[in-house]
Amino acid sequence: MLIDIKKINNNEFRVVVKKKTITEHVVVLSDQTLKKLTNNTKTKEELLKFSFEFLLEKEDNTAILGTFELSEISKYFSDFSCHIEKWLK
C-alpha cells in the first residue's frame, strides 16, 4: 500500500491511496487544525499520512470520503484524537 500526498494549496491536499483499488481524496487541513491536533510539532503532510494510516486500519480505502476536512475524522472515529496523542509522544 502506498499513500501519496500532494499539496494543492496551503490548506488542501490530494491524497492518493494505492491498494487493490486506487482512490483519490481531497483533504482540507487548516493551520488551526494542525495547531489544535499537534501543537505544530508535525507537518501537515506528516499528520495526513498518520491520519490515512489510522483510517486504513479501520476501513478500506474505497470507504474513505472523497473530500473532507481532516477534523471530521473524529465525528466517525471518536478515538482519533487519542491515537494522535499517543503518536505525538
Side-chain angles (χ1 to χ4, degrees), residues 36-76:
K36 182 181 165 209
L37 294 176
T38 72
N39 203 25
N40 292 331
T41 59
K42 300 287 184 182
T43 66
K44 288 184 177 182
E45 288 82 356
E46 287 171 325
L47 179 56
L48 283 163
K49 185 175 189 312
F50 173 83
S51 301
F52 269 81
E53 288 168 349
F54 170 84
L55 286 171
L56 291 165
E57 284 179 16
K58 308 271 186 188
E59 61 188 5
D60 197 63
N61 61 323
T62 56
I64 298 172
L65 295 172
T67 305
F68 62 96
E69 214 291 341
L70 191 98
S71 60
E72 287 181 58
I73 295 172
S74 297
K75 292 178 187 172
Y76 299 94

Side-chain angles (χ1 to χ4, degrees), residues 4-16 24-29 44-45 48 52 66-68:
D4 185 46
I5 299 165
K6 294 251 187 314
K7 190 174 195 172
I8 298 170
N9 60 46
N10 187 52
N11 291 328
E12 287 186 316
F13 296 80
R14 179 170 286 109
V15 182
V16 177
E24 190 174 298
H25 313 269
V26 175
V27 185
V28 176
L29 174 49
K44 288 184 177 182
E45 288 82 356
L48 283 163
F52 269 81
T67 305
F68 62 96

